């Protein structure tokens, strides 16, 4: 079967009629232009010369900066933080100009100026439709004058009695060791950066803040590092009856538990059974977010959280000021270990009894890993001591626990020092605190220095405590030869005292001599 194929046929081409646009002359310069596309009978060059799309936009403005906190004023009353030539500062500069909302911003950038000139220059590129179908693009510069203006927060900080919230931290103990440790934690985590004043008062510290949320943030920090009980109160300062606007001052009372490290504690018998059936007579070996207790005769540990403590209050039997020095006559390890605690049986004698009588005491201790015959150890002498404590009296009257009360409870190893160690190769930072209305008496000042020296010795001897604080290298003010001689004298006088390795110390930023090489 055959198939017929159509042959290609050439179609006739239509003649292309040329389109002639209407050409007119520019009314300004006489140049020929397309009359259908021209706007206002002007050529493109004349449009750029005669039409200014940046008309109505400021070419000069003023920026206000606080020289204390280095924040910029964003009208009407908001202060923002912005680095030089940053995107935040560029956005602030563009918001300051009136008339920019009517045009389209294509590009904006900073022009370099001398830092001391107090001038900021910005180059801005904009677009706008000049006539129908004609879009113009133009670039111009704006100059800003930097003026100083103190922000309200800084003004309040330099004025007395302008705080909005206060955090009152208290602890009813006869020494300041807990507050010294709390001060190091605050410095390490920079929890005091929003305070406008820190005032030292009896039994504690007062932290003043310009905003309520800063005080609440600090209370949350205290709750996360120490067992505290907080209470909030507020006082009405002013009330505007027309706008119903009220102004309050807020007070946060934070009370720390009155139990400190190395304290002797007699627990209520009922509470001791609830937290693991531990012996009621214990020692506090650490205070973190809870109270950590240890039974030195069995190495059993227990934790008492802050809510449990405030429901069943108890106080310490004795604190570190009542420690007595003992000499280890003999010690024998009994085997059980828990962490760095090693159970041992020791025979000790009071150092004051040596050469007077030969009375010794037999006790069980958790310091078997660090004590050796002839060492000095600090402990509590319970024999013949009267404690005005209802929980301890309940132990003496109990048929179960009265026979388990030891004669001596050893707390920590003692390193005899011949003199006050003023040549440490490390130091601690301190907060700038305002003293109370009455200056401390001479004996109170000596007690403060004694508590601080005791805290420094605890940092030296306790590696666990040392890991939670920031230690810095001591500034070397003496010559190198004098430092070597002083160090040799200290090492010969105080042998056996724990030394802090230089790798654990930090360099302060201001001590680092960083210079640009030209």
């Amino acid at each position: 079967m055959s198939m017929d194929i159509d042959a290609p046929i050439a179609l006739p081409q239509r003649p292309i009629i040329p389109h002639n646009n209407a050409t007119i002359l520019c009314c300004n310069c006489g140049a020929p232009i397309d009359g259908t596309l021209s706007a206002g009978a002007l050529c493109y060059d004349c449009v750029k010369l005669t039409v200014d799309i940046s008309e109505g936009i400021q070419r000069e403005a003023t920026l206000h900066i606080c020289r204390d906190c280095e924040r910029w004023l964003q009208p009407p009353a908001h202060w923002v933080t912005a680095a030089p030539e940053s995107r935040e500062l560029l956005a602030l500069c563009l918001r300051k100009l009136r008339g920019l909302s009517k045009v389209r911003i294509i590009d904006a950038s900073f022009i370099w100026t001398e830092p001391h000139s107090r001038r900021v220059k910005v180059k801005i590129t904009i677009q706008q439709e000049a006539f129908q179908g004609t879009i113009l693009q133009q670039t111009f510069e704006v100059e800003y004058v930097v003026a100083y203006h103190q922000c309200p927060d800084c003004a309040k900080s330099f004025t007395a009695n302008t705080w909005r919230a206060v955090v009152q931290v208290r602890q009813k103990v006869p020494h300041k060791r807990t507050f010294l440790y709390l001060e190091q934690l605050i410095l390490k985590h920079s929890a005091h950066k929003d305070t406008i004043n820190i005032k030292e008062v009896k039994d504690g510290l007062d932290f003043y803040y310009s905003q309520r949320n800063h005080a609440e943030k600090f209370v949350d920090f205290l709750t996360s590092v120490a067992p505290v009980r907080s209470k909030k109160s507020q006082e009405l300062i002013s009330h505007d009856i027309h706008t119903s606007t009220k102004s309050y001052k807020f007070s946060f009372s934070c009370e720390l538990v009155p139990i400190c490290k190395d304290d002797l504690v007699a627990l209520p018998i009922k509470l001791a059974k609830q937290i693991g059936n531990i012996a009621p007579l214990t020692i506090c070996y650490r205070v973190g977010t809870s109270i950590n207790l240890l039974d030195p005769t069995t190495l059993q540990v227990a934790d008492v959280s802050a809510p449990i403590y405030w429901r069943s209050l108890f106080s310490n039997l004795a604190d570190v000021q009542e420690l007595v020095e003992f000499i280890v006559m003999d010690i024998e390890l009994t085997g059980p270990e828990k962490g760095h605690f090693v159970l041992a049986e020791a025979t000790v004698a009071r150092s004051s009894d040596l050469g007077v009588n030969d009375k010794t005491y037999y006790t069980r201790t958790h310091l078997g890993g660090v004590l050796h015959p002839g060492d000095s150890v600090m402990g509590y002498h319970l024999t013949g001591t009267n404690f005005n404590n209802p929980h301890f009296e309940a132990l003496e009257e109990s048929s179960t626990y009265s026979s388990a009360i030891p004669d001596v409870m050893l707390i920590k190893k003692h390193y005899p020092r011949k003199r006050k160690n003023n040549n440490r190769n490390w130091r601690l930072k301190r907060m700038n605190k305002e003293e109370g209305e009455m200056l401390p008496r001479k004996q109170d000042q000596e007690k403060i220095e004694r508590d601080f020296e005791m805290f420094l010795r605890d940092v030296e001897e306790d590696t666990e405590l040392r890991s939670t604080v920031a230690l810095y290298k001591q500034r070397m003010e003496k010559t190198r030869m004098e430092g070597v001689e002083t160090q040799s004298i200290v090492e010969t006088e105080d042998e056996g005292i724990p030394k802090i390795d230089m790798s654990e110390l930090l360099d302060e930023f201001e001590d680092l001599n960083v210079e640009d090489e030209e």
Side-chain angles (χ1 to χ4, degrees), residues 483-506:
V484 172
E485 293 176 355
T486 305
Q487 185 177 3
S488 62
I489 292 174
V490 173
E491 290 180 354
T492 54
E493 287 189 352
D494 298 334
E495 295 181 355
I497 296 178
K499 301 293 183 182
I500 297 179
D501 191 57
M502 293 294 292
S503 60
E504 301 181 35
L505 305 181
L506 303 174

Side-chain angles (χ1 to χ4, degrees), residues 400 406 457:
T400 305
R457 294 182 181 182

Side-chain angles (χ1 to χ4, degrees), residues 94 126 192 198 378:
L94 295 179
I126 60 174
H192 65 302
I198 302 175
M378 304 299 290

Side-chain angles (χ1 to χ4, degrees), residues 64 70 128 135 178 223 244 293 355 445 463 472:
H64 293 92
E70 296 184 352
Q128 190 182 23
I135 297 177
T178 303
T223 308
S244 296
L293 303 175
Q445 186 66 32
T463 56
Y472 295 89

Side-chain angles (χ1 to χ4, degrees), residues 28-91:
N28 193 13
C29 64
I33 56 176
D34 187 359
T36 61
L37 301 178
S38 63
L42 292 173
C43 65
Y44 181 70
D45 294 333
C46 293
V47 169
K48 290 195 299 182
L49 292 174
T50 58
V51 178
D52 185 12
I53 61 175
S54 64
E55 185 179 2
I57 301 177
Q58 293 177 265
R59 301 301 175 95
E60 293 182 354
T62 304
L63 294 176
H64 293 92
I65 184 174
C66 178
R67 70 170 68 197
D68 298 315
C69 62
E70 296 184 352
R71 293 188 299 172
W72 301 84
L73 174 62
Q74 180 176 327
H78 187 55
W79 292 83
V80 296
T81 302
E85 298 190 5
S86 61
R87 297 179 61 183
E88 293 80 7
L89 182 58
L90 183 60

Side-chain angles (χ1 to χ4, degrees), residues 389-419:
N389 189 291
H391 304 308
F392 186 74
E393 294 175 359
L395 294 182
E396 292 179 328
E397 296 173 358
S398 173
S399 59
T400 305
Y401 300 107
S402 59
S403 60
I405 299 177
D407 296 332
V408 172
M409 291 191 73
L410 303 181
I411 302 301
K412 61 180 179 179
K413 185 177 179 179
H414 178 58
Y415 299 92
R417 289 173 168 85
K418 295 183 180 180
R419 64 174 185 174

Side-chain angles (χ1 to χ4, degrees), residues 184-196:
Q184 297 305 315
L185 291 179
I186 293 173
L187 289 171
K188 183 177 180 179
H189 297 88
S190 299
H192 65 302
K193 62 180 180 179
D194 296 324
T195 58
I196 59 176

